[in-house]
Amino acid sequence: MKSPLPIAIAALMALAACNSKSAEPEVIDTNPDPMATQLANAGAVELPPAIKADKSMRCKDNSVVYVTFFEGDKQAIVRTAKDGSPTTLTAPNGGEPLVADGGWKLTGSPTNITLEQPGKPSLTCKG
């Protein structure tokens, strides 16, 4: 019986000779990104805030409002019905009253709020 060792050595030598070029792969870019410069020079992107609390709150007039509070205390989403249309209220700085166009205003925290809606009396609600 013949030994397979000489055949294995010859195969390894042939493979080693094939890879005699440098270890770096050759990259051929036939389709360059047309926006590469703009993307490289673009500013930082600010991610949306994380949800801090999602509450259903009972008000003194026995109505219920649904409020989603966000981290940073600069944004909240208010719905006056469970499947109602959302109203986004914002503030320039955390801790300031959250407002939206039309006369919406929200102050408070995820445990107690005061909500002013357009054309309606002010509501005090607890979560």
Side-chain angles (χ1 to χ4, degrees):
M1 245 178 136
K2 292 185 178 182
S3 171
L5 187 60
I7 296 173
I9 291 174
L12 287 175
M13 296 289 280
L15 285 174
C18 289
N19 197 11
S20 62
K21 292 185 180 181
S22 70
E24 294 293 321
E26 182 179 351
V27 178
I28 300 173
D29 189 4
T30 60
N31 189 17
D33 185 357
M35 292 187 65
T37 305
Q38 290 93 339
L39 293 173
N41 296 329
V45 176
E46 184 178 343
L47 296 174
I51 292 176
K52 181 178 185 178
D54 197 13
K55 297 281 197 161
S56 56
M57 305 182 95
R58 178 71 62 182
C59 302
K60 284 195 174 188
D61 70 350
N62 212 27
S63 64
V64 177
V65 293
Y66 304 88
V67 184
T68 304
F69 295 91
F70 291 88
E71 290 293 335
D73 300 325
K74 294 182 186 179
Q75 181 178 344
I77 297 176
V78 176
R79 289 177 284 124
T80 56
K82 188 166 179 102
D83 295 325
S85 109
T87 301
T88 302
L89 293 92
T90 59
N93 299 309
E96 293 181 4
L98 303 167
V99 295
D101 291 339
W104 289 84
K105 183 178 177 183
L106 181 133
T107 55
S109 66
T111 54
N112 295 303
I113 64 164
T114 300
L115 177 65
E116 296 176 18
Q117 303 173 64
K120 295 184 179 179
S122 179
L123 295 173
T124 302
C125 312
K126 291 185 178 187

